[in-house]
Amino acid sequence: MSLLVQPRLVNVPSGDPGLYLDFQFGQRAMLFDLGDSAPLSPRELIRVSHAFISHAHMDHIAGFERLLRLRLHRPRPLVLLGPPGFVDLMQSRLGGYSWNLLDQTSVDFRLTAQAFDGAQIVEVAEFAARERFTRRDLAVPDLPRGGVCSEAEFEISAAALDHGIPSLAFAFRQRQRFNVWRSALDTLGLPVGPWIDEAKQALRDELPDDHMIAVPGMEPVPLGFLRAQVFETGPGQYFAYVSDAADTSANRARIIGLARGADQLYIEAPFLHADKAIAEATCHLTARAAGEIARIAGVRRVTPFHYSARYGDDVAELAKEVNAAFIDN
Ligand SMILES: [Zn+2]
Ligand SMILES: [Zn+2]
């Protein structure tokens, strides 16, 4: 089965938190959190269209500089979203450099910063290279409650958790899965290309079998033929990312609401239950709490990360504690 998005942790579980969402087709990627990005190649970072930031502790956003530097002379736009106050925060980060070498002849790179308050996007501003990253406020997008990004194939929603400060958790949901059989493409001599998205949209719109799809270098192909030979339909891909949250009943309810029935839950598990006092003092989950939440949310798989440095390389116990609580009962 081929997935629309291949999510993977950027770092080892004891490194900075972050999830890289690699899209199957279309040279595109997204990020949930942007800490140390060393394991990502420049090519991988250049593909990023959106970075969704849980909160502005350094381990979640220190990779912004490297991303900006790579993108500065390329026209592909970049969207960053974070918790309340995030637009001001990006403005001050961009204000920390001299941009006198940029002018109207520079590459038209634009960065959009958005702040989400737990229910909706409440603030949006654009920072254009040609305007030396001067802030320009824009209208907020019209999205359903909880939505932070909505496209034809998927939507991303968020919840605000309590981490002493607001910390956002995210869920990626594919609307409906139209998998492409790569072997069928090869057998039929059909090329990979943007026509696949067009065909998927036609399937989503439930157009008739005799609707013709234009394929470059070939005669148009009837949608019914593609439906039968090339695409497989099923429930969409669904995963959630939760980092940095206190173990409170309100947080648990929000995480469970966001991740209920997900294929996979990526969730922080920084401390052992034995070190619960440290978890409480720093507003983090314990490994046991992470496993319990995953179990109650009924997710299929749980992937813990954001292990505290206090355990060094000795992190097997953390994973074990998550799994024990996950499979309990
Ligand atoms: Zn934090
Ligand atoms: Zn953190």
Side-chain angles (χ1 to χ4, degrees):
M1 190 181 76
S2 57
L3 297 172
L4 173 65
V5 168
Q6 293 282 357
R8 68 173 203 267
L9 289 174
V10 173
N11 292 292
V12 295
S14 53
D16 280 1
L19 194 70
Y20 186 78
L21 282 49
D22 203 357
F23 282 67
Q24 186 189 15
F25 298 114
Q27 293 290 301
R28 184 181 187 189
M30 290 182 171
L31 279 164
F32 289 162
D33 274 337
L34 181 53
D36 179 8
S37 70
L40 296 173
S41 70
R43 276 173 72 104
E44 287 171 320
L45 285 171
I46 286 164
R47 292 213 294 268
V48 171
S49 66
H50 293 66
F52 300 92
I53 311 297
S54 60
H55 62 298
H57 281 158
M58 273 196 98
D59 52 331
H60 298 256
I61 198 171
F64 170 70
E65 256 69 23
R66 179 170 176 234
L67 181 62
L68 176 64
R69 200 167 180 190
L70 279 165
R71 301 298 288 273
L72 190 51
H73 300 296
R74 292 179 171 85
R76 175 179 282 196
L78 177 66
V79 177
L80 275 94
L81 178 138
F86 189 72
V87 176
D88 292 343
L89 194 138
M90 291 312 297
Q91 182 179 9
S92 59
R93 286 193 77 147
L94 289 161
Y97 294 93
S98 300
W99 300 114
N100 62 301
L101 298 178
L102 295 175
D103 60 25
Q104 283 303 315
T105 64
S106 302
V107 172
D108 190 13
F109 167 67
R110 289 160 194 254
L111 187 153
T112 304
Q114 304 179 328
F116 177 83
D117 74 351
Q120 57 198 1
I121 294 174
V122 288
E123 217 174 6
V124 179
E126 184 179 78
F127 301 87
R130 288 182 170 178
E131 295 170 2
R132 296 177 179 171
F133 296 113
T134 307
R135 172 174 175 160
R136 188 141 44 85
D137 285 308
L138 302 178
V140 298
D142 187 20
L143 290 169
R145 188 180 166 83
V148 293
C149 182
S150 177
E151 297 194 11
E153 287 200 78
F154 63 88
E155 59 187 351
I156 298 174
S157 50
L161 307 176
D162 176 15
H163 173 48
I165 54 173
S167 175
L168 304 183
F170 303 101
F172 179 102
R173 287 189 95 136
Q174 188 178 6
R175 296 182 197 285
Q176 195 181 6
R177 183 166 56 82
F178 297 107
N179 274 339
V180 179
W181 293 108
R182 279 303 284 264
S183 56
L185 288 183
D186 294 344
T187 308
L188 298 166
L190 292 165
V192 171
W195 71 270
I196 290 175
D197 289 333
E198 224 171 277
K200 282 182 183 174
Q201 188 59 50
L203 291 171
R204 220 174 281 123
D205 294 344
E206 297 177 351
L207 297 186
D209 283 352
D210 59 0
H211 175 80
M212 302 304 276
I213 300 291
V215 180
M218 300 185 70
E219 292 287 311
V221 185
L223 185 63
F225 177 80
L226 296 171
R227 199 191 319 258
Q229 301 291 328
V230 173
F231 290 100
E232 180 206 22
T233 311
Q237 193 180 354
Y238 176 17
F239 56 89
Y241 172 90
V242 176
S243 192
D244 293 29
D247 186 10
T248 65
S249 54
N251 276 352
R252 283 189 176 222
R254 286 187 186 135
I255 298 167
I256 291 161
L258 197 69
R260 185 173 284 121
D263 305 321
Q264 190 158 13
L265 172 63
Y266 297 86
I267 187 164
E268 71 152 359
F271 300 105
L272 291 171
H273 183 73
D275 295 321
K276 195 168 184 277
I278 306 170
E280 274 171 12
T282 54
C283 299
H284 277 289
L285 297 176
T286 62
R288 183 190 289 183
E292 284 171 0
I293 290 166
R295 173 167 50 80
I296 297 164
V299 304
R300 280 176 49 212
R301 273 182 301 164
V302 58
T303 306
F305 66 99
H306 209 352
Y307 295 158
S308 165
R310 69 184 281 112
Y311 304 106
D313 292 331
D314 195 16
V315 293
E317 281 303 313
L318 288 159
K320 222 190 269 179
E321 191 172 291
V322 172
N323 284 321
F326 180 50
I327 59 169
D328 190 28
N329 297 323

